[in-house]
Amino acid sequence: MSAATVSLSFLVEALEPSGLPEDGRLSATVTMLGCWFHVEAVPVIDVDGLQTGADAVSESRLSALAVEFDAPGFETVRIGAHHYAIFVTPFGR
């Protein structure tokens, strides 16, 4: 039995800047099925065919996620002038 694919969406305006000038990440909080999730948009750039974070903080986060998920790169979406990899993580409240 294969898992169903459900399309979720929310307004891009819900994503807020981290507030730190050296950190280009955006974030929001969403609920699904009564559970809280942190949505993180990590800005990425392509350097010689390799995906990397657009700033030092984003590169550190992207590298950690690449190791955690054993992935060489992630799908991205364009928000404004930048490309972002989107991550949704559950957290307790």
Side-chain angles (χ1 to χ4, degrees):
M1 179 164 148
S2 63
T5 300
V6 178
S7 178
L8 301 173
S9 63
F10 62 94
L11 297 174
V12 71
E13 292 81 15
L15 291 165
E16 298 180 346
S18 70
L20 303 172
E22 67 277 3
D23 183 356
R25 294 177 300 162
L26 306 173
S27 65
T29 301
V30 298
T31 60
M32 289 185 283
L33 302 171
C35 298
W36 292 88
F37 292 83
H38 177 74
V39 178
E40 181 178 17
V42 178
V44 299
I45 57 175
D46 182 70
V47 177
D48 297 326
L50 297 174
Q51 192 177 70
T52 186
D55 54 71
V57 174
S58 297
E59 174 56 22
S60 176
R61 182 70 175 129
L62 191 68
S63 293
L65 289 164
V67 169
E68 181 178 344
F69 294 114
D70 191 25
F74 301 96
E75 292 289 327
T76 63
V77 297
R78 188 174 184 95
I79 301 172
H82 303 285
H83 289 274
Y84 292 85
I86 308 295
F87 302 94
V88 181
T89 309
F91 69 93
R93 191 143 159 109

